[in-house]
Amino acid sequence: MEDTAGSNPQSLGFTEKLKSWLSWSWTYVCFIWFGMVLIMIYVLWSPLKLQETLTSVFLNTLTPKFYVALTGTSSLISGLILIFEWWYFRKYGTSFIEQVSVSHLRPLLGGVENSSTTGLFASVNGEAEPRPSVSECKVWRNPLNLFRGAEYNRYTWVTGKEPLTYYDMNLSAQDHQTFFTGDTPQLRPEDAVMQKAWRERNPQARIRAAYQAIEMNHECAAAYVLLAEEEATTITEAERLFKKALKKLSVYINLLVYIKRRLAMCARKLGRIKEAVKMMRDLMKEFPLLGMLNIHENLLEALLELQAYADVQAVLAKYDDISLPKSATICYTSALLKARAVSDKFSPEAASRRGLSTAEMNAVEAIHRAVEFNPHVPKYLLEMKSLILPPEHILKRGDSEAVAYAFFHLQHWKRAEGALNLLHCTWEGTFHEVSVYPKKELPFFILFTAGLCSFTAMLAMLTHQFPELMGVFAKAFFSTLFAPLGFFADKMESFMPSSFWHQLTRI
């Protein structure tokens, strides 16, 4: 073990130096290569008569059938790529080409992966890490996300289908890699194993890697966290593993916050709600700089379960601020409290006759404010749309956030008598047409391959039907293509003495 730990930092240091050297030299190598190619083409332009050769080969020698075959083959290949990209996007929610580029090519070129929640945890010295501006944080980790082994897997056992998309799980893997490896410059051997474990797509492979890390170091808290999330089939078992991870923990603040939060969520799910509330309050007091983690949303849900509405109002007064990022939980909880005060006696007919009272007007305005923030929530609360399991990451103001909110808060709206009736009577008046934001945009490479396939198919058809006309267009195209090169060559001849180019040509 000591030999491994001693040699690993050296190998990692050499790898990092190699990557930094490659990223530094890559740009310069590309520019040098491009310049050498231009010089080579210019030097060989006259001796080899490249212009005449290219014209005779591509325009005079080859028959139209060749061009039909060429464009047809290009269309077929791009069509197959398009079909595969579309299938991969439908199944995993992302582009295969883009995924490979981000996962494998960018690290080699010195790129940095952007995590959806980078900088949301405190560093080991207790200071807050730099975080992107709120406008850049489009995708957020779901504060109330379920446990994979104890909750998500139940759906898989019953239906045989995966409850989470590959894109969602990949974001979680990036979060875990960023947060759970500490702030030390060199990774410990067990940390390197856990880095690979989070990236594994097979749950059993992740669990095996966690046990491997525990064999290397019995104090590896991150491995127990993975087992609590993935292997534990009950909340009680998950809580036991999280407590074990907490005992093994040393100095990793990020991991400490994560474990304490999950322990509080375990207590909430097991019915020990007052204990969960105390743990969440203590966590927020101990780490006040972690407001971006949205622990207060866990606290709001637990307080609503206790029906401690005064405490809920106190939390909202602190976090429902214009300078802080909003969420469906904050907006709709505020609306729920105001609706609860008048909903038990609210009647649409009576309100239309006498008008709205001040309290009713405040409740309606709060509902409108919430619906303007996320218009997808009411249909889930009113059970006009079926609920599904919430994802591990949500898009603010999107359908995923609406699902996550309604999944946990529908029971609280039902408990307040008449609240859903007031919501039903007023939410559609917010605007005439409910927004469908956000629409799921197709990846660039699907659009690109679709355009390439269509363009080459059109060229193949036109070349087959009108060979002579397409030949004229081909000549015009190549003439235009080589025009900048000829212009560049003329300019180079005017700047350089003719003897220099003569000697270079002889070489």
Side-chain angles (χ1 to χ4, degrees):
M1 179 64 68
E2 293 180 357
D3 293 339
T4 304
S7 60
N8 190 51
Q10 297 179 359
S11 60
L12 287 173
F14 174 75
T15 304
E16 293 299 327
K17 289 181 181 179
L18 181 62
K19 286 184 178 180
S20 63
W21 183 84
L22 287 174
S23 62
W24 175 82
S25 62
W26 185 261
T27 305
Y28 299 99
V29 170
C30 289
F31 275 113
I32 294 173
W33 177 84
F34 185 69
M36 293 178 63
V37 169
L38 290 178
I39 294 174
M40 184 67 68
I41 291 176
Y42 177 79
V43 170
L44 300 178
W45 188 263
S46 297
L48 299 182
K49 300 180 180 180
L50 290 180
Q51 186 171 3
E52 293 81 356
T53 303
L54 291 172
T55 303
S56 61
V57 170
F58 285 100
L59 301 179
N60 299 330
T61 305
L62 301 176
T63 63
K65 292 183 178 180
F66 170 81
Y67 294 108
V68 173
L70 178 64
T71 52
T73 304
S74 301
S75 177
L76 176 63
I77 294 175
S78 56
L80 293 176
I81 296 175
L82 172 63
I83 293 172
F84 175 76
E85 277 283 301
W86 177 256
W87 169 82
Y88 195 88
F89 173 72
R90 294 282 294 180
K91 186 170 184 179
Y92 300 113
T94 186
S95 165
F96 174 77
I97 300 176
E98 181 180 352
Q99 186 69 31
V100 170
S101 302
V102 170
S103 302
H104 300 286
L105 298 183
R106 195 193 307 189
L108 293 177
L109 300 180
V112 180
E113 293 186 358
N114 295 325
S115 178
S116 61
T117 48
T118 300
L120 302 186
F121 281 80
S123 59
V124 171
N125 57 14
E127 298 177 357
E129 295 180 356
R131 61 172 178 257
S133 62
V134 172
S135 60
E136 295 175 353
C137 298
K138 295 181 179 180
V139 179
W140 296 64
R141 189 166 180 87
N142 182 5
L144 298 167
N145 65 302
L146 303 176
F147 293 85
R148 288 188 184 176
E151 294 177 308
Y152 281 122
N153 278 354
R154 293 183 183 179
Y155 179 82
T156 306
W157 298 336
V158 174
T159 65
K161 298 179 180 179
E162 292 293 334
L164 298 172
T165 64
Y166 171 68
Y167 176 72
D168 195 9
M169 298 178 68
N170 187 49
L171 288 179
S172 298
Q174 293 178 21
D175 292 342
H176 296 152
Q177 287 178 262
T178 304
F179 302 151
F180 296 164
T181 53
D183 299 319
T184 55
Q186 301 294 343
L187 290 178
R188 299 178 302 177
E190 61 271 18
D191 290 334
V193 171
M194 291 306 300
Q195 283 264 331
K196 295 180 180 179
W198 297 120
R199 293 196 299 266
E200 290 286 351
R201 293 184 61 177
N202 189 332
Q204 296 304 318
R206 292 195 291 270
I207 293 171
R208 286 196 299 270
Y211 279 114
Q212 180 185 352
I214 292 174
E215 290 179 1
M216 299 173 70
N217 183 357
H218 291 286
E219 304 297 319
C220 184
Y224 289 104
V225 169
L226 190 147
L227 294 178
E229 293 283 356
E230 306 264 355
E231 189 182 39
T233 56
T234 63
I235 300 297
T236 303
E237 186 180 356
E239 184 182 40
R240 179 184 62 81
L241 288 169
F242 275 122
K243 288 181 178 179
K244 195 170 185 179
L246 189 61
K247 292 179 181 178
K248 303 292 184 181
L249 193 61
S250 54
V251 294
Y252 293 168
I253 302 298
N254 299 347
L255 196 52
L256 173 65
V257 174
Y258 183 90
I259 293 173
K260 286 189 174 183
R261 181 182 194 165
R262 295 304 259 178
L263 282 172
M265 295 175 68
C266 287
R268 162 67 182 91
K269 293 175 185 293
L270 293 173
R272 305 195 308 270
I273 305 173
K274 291 184 179 180
E275 178 186 343
V277 168
K278 183 180 183 303
M279 294 173 68
M280 293 172 191
R281 290 189 185 277
D282 292 343
L283 191 58
M284 294 167 65
K285 290 179 182 178
E286 187 177 358
F287 303 99
L289 297 176
L290 300 182
M292 297 291 287
L293 283 176
N294 298 324
I295 302 176
H296 57 275
E297 296 194 10
N298 299 83
L299 179 60
L300 284 173
E301 196 280 327
L303 291 173
L304 286 172
E305 181 64 22
L306 288 176
Q307 301 185 43
Y309 297 111
D311 292 336
V312 172
Q313 187 61 56
V315 175
L316 286 176
K318 182 178 180 180
Y319 290 96
D320 191 7
D321 187 89
I322 194 170
S323 63
L324 296 175
K326 292 291 186 293
S327 68
T329 299
I330 290 177
C331 294
Y332 278 90
T333 301
S334 178
L336 173 61
L337 292 189
K338 289 182 172 62
R340 175 181 166 273
V342 298
S343 59
D344 57 337
K345 299 178 182 178
F346 178 78
S347 171
E349 294 80 10
S352 63
R353 288 195 307 268
R354 58 174 171 78
L356 295 175
S357 64
T358 303
E360 290 172 341
M361 183 63 71
N362 291 337
V364 171
E365 288 178 355
I367 290 175
H368 286 184
R369 173 173 169 261
V371 175
E372 285 175 357
F373 180 82
N374 192 322
H376 305 276
V377 173
K379 288 191 175 182
Y380 288 107
L381 291 179
L382 298 172
E383 299 182 88
M384 300 165 66
K385 293 179 70 175
S386 300
L387 272 176
I388 59 174
L389 291 179
E392 291 185 335
H393 289 80
I394 58 175
L395 185 65
K396 285 294 182 71
R397 312 187 75 172
D399 190 73
S400 57
E401 185 189 32
V403 170
Y405 173 79
F407 186 87
F408 294 99
H409 288 263
L410 176 58
Q411 57 179 330
H412 306 313
W413 279 81
K414 287 184 175 180
R415 187 180 294 123
E417 183 182 354
L420 288 176
N421 178 49
L422 180 59
L423 176 66
H424 176 72
C425 295
T426 58
W427 80 276
E428 289 183 333
T430 308
F431 19 62
H432 297 291
E433 184 177 351
V434 178
S435 163
V436 293
Y437 174 85
K439 292 183 178 178
K440 198 171 186 179
E441 296 183 357
L442 290 175
F444 165 76
F445 288 105
I446 289 183
L447 301 176
F448 176 77
T449 51
L452 181 63
C453 178
S454 304
F455 178 71
T456 51
M458 182 185 66
L459 284 181
M461 182 185 67
L462 291 177
T463 306
H464 178 71
Q465 293 293 331
F466 311 103
E468 296 181 359
L469 183 61
M470 292 302 293
V472 173
F473 278 112
K475 290 181 181 179
F477 171 76
F478 281 110
S479 299
T480 306
L481 182 64
F482 291 119
L485 194 58
F487 176 79
F488 174 75
D490 293 339
K491 289 295 182 181
M492 290 292 291
E493 288 182 354
S494 63
F495 282 112
M496 296 293 181
S498 57
S499 58
F500 173 78
W501 296 114
H502 179 67
Q503 294 296 331
L504 193 60
T505 305
R506 291 181 61 185
I507 295 175

